[in-house]
Each structure stands twice: as structure tokens, then as C-alpha cells.
Amino acid sequence: MSTTDAVRFWEDVYAARPAATDPRPNDRLVETVTGPPPGDALDLGCGDGGDALWLVRQGWQVTAVDISAVAVERLTGLARSRGLADRVVAERHDLQESFPRGEFDLICAHYLQTPYDLDRATVLRRAAHALRVGGRLLVVDHGSTAPWSWNQDPDVHYATPREVAAGIDLDPATWTVERADAPRRIATGPDGRTAEVTDHVLLVRRTA
């Protein structure tokens, strides 16, 4: 499927939602970013902006990207309204075609999954190479299907964290897998429904 189709799909997804006024960060980000001193962070697939805004409040300088111009414009407006515009740079990128410039101390990719063609392994490998030494790449994927998910295919395969790591194929002399597990949590959907879901969590540190 074409890039145009992917852009249109995600523009329609965000345009159909009411703009979030106080988006929450993802649980796996909050539990991971507890010890390291703030630096430069990159949020791949920023969506409503909950992760980016939370990171800024912890002292990080954030670059946030999404394929949807609607999502990027909304995050820009939220940051401006909170007096945080100098600490959040929101950019539109189709990661199949472009990647933000710079080096980062933290890169997070939450639920970077799409019904359209995306070479995720290449995107995540590029992200790993954009880390400074000591920086971490946090990849959180769906490990189960929520009732409100756009993907209700009963035969869908959710790659395990170890499978994702194998696909990225990073040199162990330069990157170390610090976490690869499948915790469960209670999630709340856009309509307020709750359900138990599984996350696939991969955390990689650049060591050299």
C-alpha cells in the first residue's frame, strides 16, 4: 500500500478523535525513565503527545514525530498552551522515508504498528544508531488485541521482544538488551472501556 494511503489512514484516525486536553504518558515509559538524568529524547509516533509532554515535565528536551500532521499540530498547540514550546519540537515524518536528525539519550517507540507497509526493523535500527553512548531505546509493542483495536485479526502474530531484537540485529559489542519481557496491565480505550492487555517491552542500551 502507498505512503499516501498510510498518511490518509492516520490523518483520519486522529481527525476522528476529539483533541486530547491532558494526554497521559504510557505506563512503560514512566516505569522505565526513573533513574537517568534528563537529556535529549526522541518520541517516535507521538500520537496525542502524552509521552512527549511527560518527558518535558521531567526535564527532557524532546523531539516528537508522527506521520499525522493533525497529531503534530495538536501536540504543538498543547506545548505552546503549557509554556513548553521551547522544550518540544514536533515534526511530521513518515519514518519509511525520513528520520529526524540528531543524537539522543532516549528514544521511545510505543505501539509503532500499522496496517500499512513499514520496515520497522530498519526504523528501529536507525533509532539505535541515533543513540549517544549510554542512551536507551525503548520499544513497546502490543502483545495482545484490545477490544477497541483497529486490528481484530484473530490470526495476527505479535512479535516477541526477542524476535524484535533479532530483527533489528544490533552488534552486541555496541548495544545491550537490558529488558525483554511481556508484562500485563489494565488499559483504558478511547471510549472508556477497560481490558487487560499484554505489552511486549524491549529496552536496549548503547554501550560503545
Side-chain angles (χ1 to χ4, degrees):
M1 296 181 182
S2 71
T3 293
T4 301
D5 291 335
V7 171
R8 183 180 300 115
F9 174 83
W10 288 109
E11 293 287 25
D12 289 347
V13 166
Y14 285 103
R17 294 181 187 173
T21 57
D22 189 22
R24 295 181 55 190
N26 283 294
D27 292 348
R28 305 308 171 198
L29 177 69
V30 174
E31 71 184 22
T32 300
V33 183
T34 56
D40 295 307
L42 173 61
D43 183 7
L44 298 176
C46 63
D48 291 326
D51 289 344
L53 294 174
W54 182 84
L55 284 166
V56 167
R57 294 188 185 105
Q58 311 311 306
W60 293 78
Q61 183 74 38
V62 179
T63 299
V65 305
D66 204 280
I67 193 172
S68 167
V70 173
V72 168
E73 290 166 7
R74 286 179 175 176
L75 174 54
T76 299
L78 283 173
R80 186 183 302 117
S81 69
R82 288 158 171 73
L84 303 173
D86 62 330
R87 303 203 51 86
V88 180
V89 176
E91 303 175 356
R92 199 198 77 79
H93 284 271
D94 178 351
L95 294 172
Q96 189 82 339
E97 299 185 347
S98 63
F99 197 88
R101 295 180 179 180
E103 293 185 330
F104 303 92
D105 303 291
L106 172 70
I107 300 177
C108 54
H110 283 80
Y111 313 112
L112 192 65
Q113 293 160 298
T114 175
Y116 294 90
D117 291 338
L118 175 65
D119 186 351
R120 279 202 349 142
T122 296
V123 171
L124 296 176
R125 189 177 305 115
R126 191 168 184 180
H129 280 272
L131 291 170
R132 296 188 177 108
V133 175
R136 295 185 294 173
L137 170 64
L138 173 65
V139 182
V140 182
D141 291 335
H142 294 296
S144 64
T145 302
W148 52 82
S149 172
W150 51 263
N151 185 358
Q152 293 296 325
D153 180 358
D155 298 320
V156 66
H157 170 68
Y158 293 109
T160 68
R162 290 293 179 183
E163 288 172 337
V164 173
I168 304 174
D169 191 25
L170 297 172
D171 184 348
T174 304
W175 292 271
T176 299
V177 173
E178 293 191 328
R179 178 179 179 182
D181 60 1
R184 300 184 67 82
R185 63 185 171 86
I186 300 299
T188 302
D191 59 358
R193 283 185 295 169
T194 60
E196 186 177 57
V197 298
T198 299
D199 290 325
H200 285 172
V201 181
L202 174 66
L203 184 64
V204 177
R205 181 185 292 273
R206 184 164 192 169
T207 56

